[in-house]
Amino acid sequence: MAAIELEIDGEKIVKEAGVRAVDVVPVPGNALAVWVSGQTLDLNRPLAAGGNLHFLTFDDSAGRHVFRHSSAHLLAQAVKRLWPEAKLGTGPALEDGFYYDIWLPEPLTEKDLPRIEKMMRKIVAENHAIERLELSRDEAMALFRDRGESFKEEIVARIPDDAVISAYRQGDFVDLCSGPHLPRTGLIGALKLTQVSGAYWRGDEKNPMMTRIYGTSFPDQEGLDKHLAAIEEAKLRDHRKLGAQLNLFTFREEAPGFVFWYPKGQQLYRRLENFSRQLQEVRGYQEVATPWIYRSALWERSGHWDHYRDDLFLIHRDDEVQGVKPMNCPGHCLLFKSETRSYRDLPWRLAEYSPLSRYERSGALHGLMRVRGFHQDDAHLFVRPDQIREEMFGVLDLVDVVYRTFDMAYEVVLSTRPEDYMGELALWNRAEEELEEVLKARGLKYQINAGDGAFYGPKLDIYAVDSLGRRWQCATVQLDFQLPEKFELEYIDQDGQPKRPVMIHRAIMGSIERFLGILVEHYAGAFPLWLAPVQVRVLPITDNQHEYAGVVAQALREAGIRVEVDARNQKIGYKIREAQVEKVPEMLVVGGRDADSGTVSLRTREDGDVGALPLAEYVQAVAERARMH
RNA sequence: GCUGGCGUAGCUCAGUCGGUAGAGCAACGGUUUCGUAAACCGUAGGUCGUCGGUUCAAGUCCGACCGCCAGCUCCA
């Protein structure tokens, strides 16, 4: 056998070809798989050629992926033992767990999960070696036919001719899989099945419904416990739950998908909207308001009728059909057209916060995150082609200010020309180049999703990262070369000739409803002082301090602070508890001592009792704190 | 929209075998006047999601519909 040279952590060793990574691993316990020459391989896979070996552990995302993928196989093996007539679909690893789609003769419920977990643990204890098999297509077909795995046969049939067909065996179980996998089932130290639901085979409603079982797994119990605690934390932060507890909003079955804002929620909502107005005014945006119902001819012209019709709320009156707007762009195009525009008028930046409606399918509705009636911090920029770069720069600046204000990091994805693009290729190329230049000029790291742009222009999607590390797509910036065509928009250029402007669709928060939902979860309902619907609550200790509490509140109101007095006949501990539960940022306890000396005893949501200070001093300080954002 | 689960007081939930509705919190009334996370006593509150069916009798069993939850799908 030929000798091959392997490099591990900078050290070179020479071995015979066919040596396995597991034979040369420096720390045997931790390694789950190996990264060599651009691919992850099983530790047991014989190495044909030399190269740089990097051993993957649970700390590597690729290592976790292998671990969870093997966990999915373990799940399938357990289910097959319990229900031999089960037929396997597919079972991939997820970001922090795994699932397996399995056809079963009877539906499962969560009550069945402990039984399956128990069987999984048994198979872990049996500690089977996990072994890779390479098969010809005929062998693979025969193998899965014998086992009654009709879905697997279907997958085998779809594998391209030049691909290697592999399967993995562990004890009595074999699954079609390209791998890689853990060397032994015994490595899966802690696991939990989390939920069960339905999913169509290959994601198509016309196909049979499979049972999808979700789970997660870790090398040890500690990791699993931490993960489950994090899930609990996320549940506690669920904006639907907090929204009800904090009296921000509610939903009613009389209007599914539409929000009822309570005064405190509306206060927050207005705050966000005004924050956006304030930023945009400074940057030369002009706010407009355009109609919210248009005759169908408008939607035909804009292209919505063809592409978006099922999502429109339609109104049939007087033998004609009208549609409630799902977005503002057509209205803004009509405004642009209403006068002759000069090249000097551009860029023209139109902002609008009007209500928008989209008929989301009933199963898609989800609290504030997916509604049928909403508003966006929407704007359209009508620009000359030579202005694209500078305007994009300005938009990204706005994005940066907004997300920094809410203490959120963000990630940018550039989506480029799809195959079915429309418009001039030269314009596309130039625009894409300029977008990249702007991203680089701003020092932003970005990913490219080649071919994922809209047919009418390339776009930037911006993902906000919240305090739990979750990503939310909020801001989006889309160049549009098509809508100006459809609406025959023109400006008169310097040379006296009519030219076609480019449109930039952009939203920073996106849907303000949804953004507020994200903020509720991001802050766990404890909004920073400048946003909090009630900034200060005054808590008189007895009825004797009601008059003084009124004086305190009035002084704060005059300083622009949103303040409430809790004048109920309750003990101070009760009032404090309630204010804490409602996450009021600052509480002022006022008793006889304070009334006599003109002080307030400050207690903050985060730090508890701070102590007494003169009223005037507090008013000035809190007004200062409330300004910072 | 599809599959599964759920729907009882404002909220969180109990309600056995089909026999006619229950608790805590909140609300309201009273007592208490209190210094940093829940005082005490009392009162009131229900078309058991809606409609239909089975039954002497339905919160409970059956069907349809509505809404919510999870997932799928969708999100030009």
Side-chain angles (χ1 to χ4, degrees):
Chain A
M1 274 223 153
I4 56 173
E5 191 178 81
L6 301 172
E7 186 178 331
I8 302 168
D9 298 336
E11 269 186 57
K12 290 188 175 152
I13 54 172
V14 176
K15 290 281 175 183
E16 278 192 1
V19 69
R20 302 172 313 163
V22 69
D23 299 324
V24 296
V25 61
V27 194
N30 278 337
L32 303 176
V34 65
W35 173 263
V36 55
S37 324
Q39 54 178 333
T40 44
L41 295 180
D42 308 303
L43 291 176
N44 288 328
R45 187 98 171 254
L47 300 171
N52 197 337
L53 299 191
H54 174 63
F55 288 94
L56 297 170
T57 71
F58 199 76
D59 294 329
D60 303 290
S61 115
R64 282 196 297 278
H65 198 271
V66 170
F67 192 90
R68 264 63 180 266
H69 195 174
S70 295
S71 306
H73 279 211
L74 176 64
L75 165 60
Q77 183 174 16
V79 170
K80 286 289 283 188
R81 279 195 189 174
L82 293 166
W83 291 273
E85 64 279 34
K87 293 175 193 286
L88 303 178
T90 53
L94 302 171
E95 178 112 356
D96 45 25
F98 58 88
Y99 69 79
Y100 216 114
D101 284 346
I102 302 172
W103 180 88
L104 286 165
E106 55 189 309
L108 284 192
T109 72
E110 304 220 339
K111 292 184 194 77
D112 297 302
L113 296 181
R115 238 172 108 202
I116 305 174
E117 279 176 16
K118 200 173 156 198
M119 182 60 82
M120 289 171 75
R121 292 197 187 95
K122 182 160 182 273
I123 299 167
V124 169
E126 289 166 9
N127 198 11
H128 296 287
I130 302 176
E131 171 194 5
R132 179 185 169 91
L133 315 170
E134 294 193 0
L135 307 168
S136 70
R137 187 179 304 270
D138 290 344
E139 286 168 336
M141 287 299 247
L143 175 67
F144 292 109
R145 190 176 302 124
D146 287 350
R147 295 182 157 251
E149 298 289 2
S150 50
F151 297 106
K152 294 292 179 189
E153 284 181 63
E154 194 180 325
I155 299 173
V156 171
R158 285 171 195 274
I159 296 177
D161 285 340
D162 54 348
V164 176
I165 299 178
S166 60
Y168 281 76
R169 182 199 300 280
Q170 52 199 56
D172 52 5
F173 177 79
V174 187
D175 195 359
L176 177 71
C177 188
S178 53
H181 279 280
L182 301 177
R184 304 186 324 273
T185 60
L187 293 171
I188 303 171
L191 59 90
K192 170 102 185 147
L193 297 180
T194 48
Q195 58 182 340
V196 51
S197 69
Y200 301 103
W201 171 239
R202 303 176 58 78
D204 189 332
E205 288 181 22
K206 293 180 206 78
N207 287 336
M209 172 66 66
M210 319 280 287
T211 300
R212 175 170 296 182
I213 303 172
Y214 286 88
T216 189
S217 58
F218 288 82
D220 53 47
Q221 190 64 34
E222 192 193 342
L224 177 62
D225 289 344
K226 269 195 186 158
H227 176 73
L228 295 177
I231 291 175
E232 284 309 306
E233 172 62 23
K235 269 191 205 158
L236 289 176
R237 287 175 178 238
D238 189 312
H239 75 283
R240 291 166 299 185
K241 210 178 168 86
L242 281 172
Q245 276 166 14
L246 302 178
N247 285 312
L248 301 180
F249 56 84
T250 190
F251 289 91
R252 308 243 343 159
E253 73 176 80
E254 287 86 345
F258 287 79
V259 189
F260 287 78
W261 292 103
Y262 290 126
K264 284 178 184 168
Q266 179 68 3
Q267 174 70 251
L268 273 166
Y269 179 91
R270 295 304 265 193
R271 206 109 243 125
L272 291 181
E273 199 180 75
N274 287 334
F275 174 57
S276 163
R277 282 200 171 93
Q278 181 193 321
L279 292 173
Q280 294 190 355
E281 256 169 45
V282 177
R283 287 166 173 77
Y285 287 76
Q286 292 172 288
E287 184 174 341
V288 296
T290 56
W292 55 94
I293 297 173
Y294 293 85
R295 304 169 74 176
S296 54
L298 184 276
W299 303 116
E300 284 161 22
R301 178 167 204 174
S302 69
H304 287 83
W305 205 247
D306 290 337
H307 293 283
Y308 213 82
R309 189 172 176 172
D310 288 344
D311 285 351
L312 294 177
F313 274 94
L314 297 177
I315 299 168
H316 298 259
R317 279 315 280 265
D318 298 336
D319 293 330
E320 84 171 314
V321 181
Q322 305 190 64
V324 185
K325 68 176 168 185
M327 39 190 87
N328 292 310
C329 22
H332 291 181
C333 288
L334 295 181
L335 273 187
F336 186 93
K337 268 179 92 69
S338 64
E339 285 178 29
T340 305
R341 304 289 165 190
S342 153
Y343 72 96
R344 295 177 211 272
D345 297 331
L346 305 186
W348 202 38
R349 309 181 186 93
L350 295 188
E352 180 155 2
Y353 300 91
S354 297
L356 303 172
S357 307
R358 296 179 188 175
Y359 191 84
E360 300 289 352
R361 303 215 278 174
S362 57
L365 300 176
H366 182 85
L368 293 178
M369 302 304 188
R370 185 71 79 84
V371 287
R372 287 178 174 162
F374 61 101
H375 308 70
Q376 290 185 326
D377 61 335
D378 194 20
H380 293 94
L381 287 64
F382 296 89
V383 306
R384 306 191 304 257
D386 63 288
Q387 292 171 322
I388 291 175
R389 183 196 311 239
E390 195 179 338
E391 287 305 305
M392 292 300 296
F393 195 90
V395 168
L396 288 173
D397 187 61
L398 193 49
V399 167
D400 191 66
V401 170
V402 170
Y403 290 129
R404 271 195 293 121
T405 300
F406 297 107
D407 303 310
M408 287 172 147
Y410 58 93
E411 296 169 1
V412 183
V413 177
L414 167 63
S415 296
T416 57
R417 180 164 46 85
E419 283 182 19
D420 60 345
Y421 75 99
M422 293 182 74
E424 287 170 54
L425 186 58
L427 187 54
W428 270 92
N429 287 339
R430 186 171 146 200
E432 287 179 1
E433 266 170 42
E434 289 187 349
L435 284 179
E436 286 209 64
E437 279 170 30
V438 170
L439 288 168
K440 283 180 186 143
R442 293 205 56 92
L444 289 169
K445 275 198 256 171
Y446 59 94
Q447 280 186 352
I448 296 184
N449 260 358
D452 208 35
F455 67 87
Y456 51 77
K459 64 172 179 177
L460 294 179
D461 288 320
I462 290 131
Y463 292 82
V465 183
D466 75 8
S467 57
L468 297 183
R470 298 173 300 183
R471 277 157 190 75
W472 304 92
Q473 202 228 303
C474 297
T476 170
V477 191
Q478 310 199 350
L479 290 182
D480 191 342
F481 311 129
Q482 279 311 300
L483 213 51
E485 292 283 338
K486 285 180 176 151
F487 281 90
E488 297 174 323
L489 303 185
E490 286 173 354
Y491 63 93
I492 306 302
D493 207 356
Q494 211 162 358
D495 58 9
Q497 296 303 307
K499 300 273 171 67
R500 191 127 291 168
V502 173
M503 266 178 96
I504 301 174
H505 308 251
R506 48 109 287 191
I508 310 297
M509 300 180 200
S511 153
I512 298 176
E513 280 79 357
R514 180 164 173 274
F515 195 70
L516 188 40
I518 293 167
L519 288 185
V520 168
E521 302 198 358
H522 176 59
Y523 290 123
F527 292 100
L529 190 64
W530 73 276
L531 265 180
V534 175
Q535 297 173 305
V536 178
R537 185 173 290 171
V538 182
L539 313 176
I541 290 175
T542 73
D543 293 354
N544 294 327
Q545 287 84 46
H546 283 182
E547 196 187 329
Y548 180 60
V551 171
V552 171
Q554 188 55 30
L556 286 163
R557 247 175 244 125
E558 283 169 13
I561 299 297
R562 297 182 290 279
V563 59
E564 276 180 359
V565 177
D566 186 348
R568 291 175 304 172
N569 179 3
Q570 282 291 354
K571 293 177 75 171
I572 193 66
Y574 181 91
K575 295 183 186 184
I576 286 171
R577 177 169 197 281
E578 203 143 284
Q580 285 288 154
V581 167
E582 291 175 30
K583 305 189 195 266
V584 176
E586 306 202 355
M587 289 150 264
L588 296 179
V589 174
V590 294
R593 292 205 297 272
D594 296 295
D596 293 343
S597 57
T599 58
V600 292
S601 296
L602 173 62
R603 180 191 168 94
T604 67
R605 181 177 62 195
E606 279 78 23
D607 300 328
D609 191 357
V610 174
L613 70 167
L615 173 59
E617 196 179 304
Y618 174 70
V619 172
Q620 201 186 345
V622 74
E624 182 59 31
R625 284 199 291 280
R627 246 195 304 279
M628 295 189 308
H629 60 68

